[in-house]
Amino acid sequence: MPILSRAALVEHLIRARIAGDVATPRENNLDHYRKLANGDRYYWFGLEFGDRWTDEQDVLAVMAERCGVVDDPEHRAGQDTIDPELTVDALDRMAARLKQAAAGRERVLFATGHPGALIDAHGRVAAALRSQGCDIVRIPNGLTADEGYVVQFADVAMFERGASLWHTHSPEPMNAILDGLRALGEPAPDLVVADHGWAGRAAQRGLDSVGYADCNDPALFLAEAEGTMRVTVPLDDHVVDPRFYEPMTAYLLDAAGLLG
């Protein structure tokens, strides 16, 4: 796949609705910001915010700055946005951390709460880092969480229940992995590349964590603003075709020096 220039990638992100005018409605975004501010831990993604984000307008301000949603608090319904320039800026920051991981042959864990969309994006980065000598974490066998199983395909950890891979925001699968590694006497990852509660809980437990987040998932952006998350990339995390993420992943790998 040819590597897109920054300008061409921005155009692709808008065309594929990974950024720009995204499918997530404004009402849904504001509802999630309110629930996080009201202390609903489902929306905290395994992070601990205490009483620091109890005003939904403060949450909105961070989301406008770091994700590119409309910053007008009177915009209550209809279209909302992700700024594709912020997406590419964050991809560049993630690439710098991946380059560091490759140079140090670090131990890296990959996980996703969006197996229907992001498994290939994560898996390609894992394969590229493995080719550079990184130790891609192999999760312990038999891990359970949330009445299901923590499994791994293509070097990416995911949640399974009832013979199906599940979309999950829960931090408990990441707890299961990190606790399982410790029980076996294995070292913790140097870096976690993930999303949802997988990324948030890893960051909360003091690990370098980079990941992806949608405009209705404010927790990881707040964590980056506070310095708990290393990088949060704003994007629609479940567009209609997972292959739409391929140019973005190729750009990321190229920027990290992980191609060729």
Side-chain angles (χ1 to χ4, degrees), residues 1-14:
M1 175 177 293
I3 307 303
L4 299 182
S5 67
R6 180 188 177 102
L9 179 61
V10 165
E11 291 179 3
H12 169 75
L13 295 174
I14 294 170

PDB file of all heavy atoms in Angstrom, residues 1-14:
ATOM      1  N   MET A   1       0.843  -1.196   0.000  1.00  0.00           N
ATOM      2  CA  MET A   1       0.000   0.000   0.000  1.00  0.00           C
ATOM      3  C   MET A   1       0.877   1.245   0.000  1.00  0.00           C
ATOM      4  O   MET A   1       1.790   1.360   0.829  1.00  0.00           O
ATOM      5  CB  MET A   1      -0.898   0.001   1.242  1.00  0.00           C
ATOM      6  CG  MET A   1      -1.726   1.270   1.388  1.00  0.00           C
ATOM      7  SD  MET A   1      -2.838   1.200   2.809  1.00  0.00           S
ATOM      8  CE  MET A   1      -3.960  -0.093   2.260  1.00  0.00           C
ATOM      9  N   PRO A   2       0.623   2.195  -0.908  1.00  0.00           N
ATOM     10  CA  PRO A   2       1.412   3.429  -0.906  1.00  0.00           C
ATOM     11  C   PRO A   2       1.161   4.219   0.377  1.00  0.00           C
ATOM     12  O   PRO A   2       0.060   4.223   0.922  1.00  0.00           O
ATOM     13  CB  PRO A   2       0.885   4.182  -2.133  1.00  0.00           C
ATOM     14  CG  PRO A   2      -0.474   3.620  -2.376  1.00  0.00           C
ATOM     15  CD  PRO A   2      -0.397   2.182  -1.964  1.00  0.00           C
ATOM     16  N   ILE A   3       2.204   4.898   0.845  1.00  0.00           N
ATOM     17  CA  ILE A   3       2.084   5.691   2.059  1.00  0.00           C
ATOM     18  C   ILE A   3       1.542   7.070   1.690  1.00  0.00           C
ATOM     19  O   ILE A   3       2.122   7.776   0.869  1.00  0.00           O
ATOM     20  CB  ILE A   3       3.446   5.828   2.776  1.00  0.00           C
ATOM     21  CG1 ILE A   3       4.063   4.449   3.010  1.00  0.00           C
ATOM     22  CG2 ILE A   3       3.269   6.582   4.083  1.00  0.00           C
ATOM     23  CD1 ILE A   3       3.196   3.497   3.789  1.00  0.00           C
ATOM     24  N   LEU A   4       0.439   7.438   2.304  1.00  0.00           N
ATOM     25  CA  LEU A   4      -0.171   8.717   2.012  1.00  0.00           C
ATOM     26  C   LEU A   4       0.605   9.845   2.670  1.00  0.00           C
ATOM     27  O   LEU A   4       1.152   9.691   3.765  1.00  0.00           O
ATOM     28  CB  LEU A   4      -1.618   8.746   2.514  1.00  0.00           C
ATOM     29  CG  LEU A   4      -2.586   7.717   1.916  1.00  0.00           C
ATOM     30  CD1 LEU A   4      -3.983   7.920   2.485  1.00  0.00           C
ATOM     31  CD2 LEU A   4      -2.610   7.794   0.398  1.00  0.00           C
ATOM     32  N   SER A   5       0.636  10.982   2.012  1.00  0.00           N
ATOM     33  CA  SER A   5       1.140  12.193   2.647  1.00  0.00           C
ATOM     34  C   SER A   5       0.178  12.598   3.755  1.00  0.00           C
ATOM     35  O   SER A   5      -0.953  12.096   3.848  1.00  0.00           O
ATOM     36  CB  SER A   5       1.239  13.319   1.623  1.00  0.00           C
ATOM     37  OG  SER A   5      -0.062  13.707   1.192  1.00  0.00           O
ATOM     38  N   ARG A   6       0.630  13.524   4.597  1.00  0.00           N
ATOM     39  CA  ARG A   6      -0.264  14.002   5.659  1.00  0.00           C
ATOM     40  C   ARG A   6      -1.562  14.551   5.071  1.00  0.00           C
ATOM     41  O   ARG A   6      -2.658  14.209   5.548  1.00  0.00           O
ATOM     42  CB  ARG A   6       0.442  15.071   6.493  1.00  0.00           C
ATOM     43  CG  ARG A   6      -0.440  15.604   7.627  1.00  0.00           C
ATOM     44  CD  ARG A   6       0.165  16.789   8.343  1.00  0.00           C
ATOM     45  NE  ARG A   6      -0.766  17.272   9.360  1.00  0.00           N
ATOM     46  CZ  ARG A   6      -0.670  17.030  10.660  1.00  0.00           C
ATOM     47  NH1 ARG A   6       0.343  16.319  11.127  1.00  0.00           N
ATOM     48  NH2 ARG A   6      -1.571  17.507  11.504  1.00  0.00           N
ATOM     49  N   ALA A   7      -1.454  15.386   4.047  1.00  0.00           N
ATOM     50  CA  ALA A   7      -2.646  15.985   3.455  1.00  0.00           C
ATOM     51  C   ALA A   7      -3.574  14.924   2.873  1.00  0.00           C
ATOM     52  O   ALA A   7      -4.802  14.996   3.028  1.00  0.00           O
ATOM     53  CB  ALA A   7      -2.251  16.995   2.384  1.00  0.00           C
ATOM     54  N   ALA A   8      -3.000  13.927   2.206  1.00  0.00           N
ATOM     55  CA  ALA A   8      -3.816  12.865   1.617  1.00  0.00           C
ATOM     56  C   ALA A   8      -4.460  12.008   2.697  1.00  0.00           C
ATOM     57  O   ALA A   8      -5.604  11.552   2.542  1.00  0.00           O
ATOM     58  CB  ALA A   8      -2.967  12.008   0.685  1.00  0.00           C
ATOM     59  N   LEU A   9      -3.725  11.770   3.800  1.00  0.00           N
ATOM     60  CA  LEU A   9      -4.314  10.998   4.895  1.00  0.00           C
ATOM     61  C   LEU A   9      -5.477  11.763   5.515  1.00  0.00           C
ATOM     62  O   LEU A   9      -6.525  11.166   5.814  1.00  0.00           O
ATOM     63  CB  LEU A   9      -3.265  10.676   5.956  1.00  0.00           C
ATOM     64  CG  LEU A   9      -3.794   9.890   7.162  1.00  0.00           C
ATOM     65  CD1 LEU A   9      -4.364   8.542   6.734  1.00  0.00           C
ATOM     66  CD2 LEU A   9      -2.695   9.706   8.215  1.00  0.00           C
ATOM     67  N   VAL A  10      -5.336  13.063   5.700  1.00  0.00           N
ATOM     68  CA  VAL A  10      -6.439  13.868   6.228  1.00  0.00           C
ATOM     69  C   VAL A  10      -7.662  13.724   5.329  1.00  0.00           C
ATOM     70  O   VAL A  10      -8.791  13.524   5.814  1.00  0.00           O
ATOM     71  CB  VAL A  10      -6.008  15.346   6.362  1.00  0.00           C
ATOM     72  CG1 VAL A  10      -7.232  16.248   6.557  1.00  0.00           C
ATOM     73  CG2 VAL A  10      -5.047  15.514   7.535  1.00  0.00           C
ATOM     74  N   GLU A  11      -7.466  13.791   4.026  1.00  0.00           N
ATOM     75  CA  GLU A  11      -8.588  13.628   3.092  1.00  0.00           C
ATOM     76  C   GLU A  11      -9.223  12.249   3.237  1.00  0.00           C
ATOM     77  O   GLU A  11     -10.454  12.108   3.205  1.00  0.00           O
ATOM     78  CB  GLU A  11      -8.101  13.842   1.660  1.00  0.00           C
ATOM     79  CG  GLU A  11      -7.714  15.282   1.344  1.00  0.00           C
ATOM     80  CD  GLU A  11      -7.211  15.436  -0.079  1.00  0.00           C
ATOM     81  OE1 GLU A  11      -7.218  14.428  -0.827  1.00  0.00           O
ATOM     82  OE2 GLU A  11      -6.825  16.559  -0.449  1.00  0.00           O
ATOM     83  N   HIS A  12      -8.384  11.217   3.375  1.00  0.00           N
ATOM     84  CA  HIS A  12      -8.920   9.862   3.537  1.00  0.00           C
ATOM     85  C   HIS A  12      -9.718   9.736   4.832  1.00  0.00           C
ATOM     86  O   HIS A  12     -10.805   9.136   4.844  1.00  0.00           O
ATOM     87  CB  HIS A  12      -7.785   8.838   3.534  1.00  0.00           C
ATOM     88  CG  HIS A  12      -8.229   7.468   3.967  1.00  0.00           C
ATOM     89  ND1 HIS A  12      -8.961   6.633   3.158  1.00  0.00           N
ATOM     90  CD2 HIS A  12      -8.082   6.821   5.164  1.00  0.00           C
ATOM     91  CE1 HIS A  12      -9.247   5.514   3.815  1.00  0.00           C
ATOM     92  NE2 HIS A  12      -8.726   5.604   5.030  1.00  0.00           N
ATOM     93  N   LEU A  13      -9.198  10.273   5.917  1.00  0.00           N
ATOM     94  CA  LEU A  13      -9.902  10.188   7.198  1.00  0.00           C
ATOM     95  C   LEU A  13     -11.278  10.833   7.109  1.00  0.00           C
ATOM     96  O   LEU A  13     -12.263  10.298   7.652  1.00  0.00           O
ATOM     97  CB  LEU A  13      -9.073  10.869   8.294  1.00  0.00           C
ATOM     98  CG  LEU A  13      -7.726  10.236   8.647  1.00  0.00           C
ATOM     99  CD1 LEU A  13      -6.966  11.109   9.635  1.00  0.00           C
ATOM    100  CD2 LEU A  13      -7.892   8.823   9.200  1.00  0.00           C
ATOM    101  N   ILE A  14     -11.360  11.958   6.419  1.00  0.00           N
ATOM    102  CA  ILE A  14     -12.648  12.636   6.256  1.00  0.00           C
ATOM    103  C   ILE A  14     -13.583  11.824   5.357  1.00  0.00           C
ATOM    104  O   ILE A  14     -14.767  11.624   5.675  1.00  0.00           O
ATOM    105  CB  ILE A  14     -12.433  14.048   5.682  1.00  0.00           C
ATOM    106  CG1 ILE A  14     -11.678  14.928   6.684  1.00  0.00           C
ATOM    107  CG2 ILE A  14     -13.769  14.685   5.304  1.00  0.00           C
ATOM    108  CD1 ILE A  14     -11.210  16.241   6.109  1.00  0.00           C
TER     109      ILE A  14
END
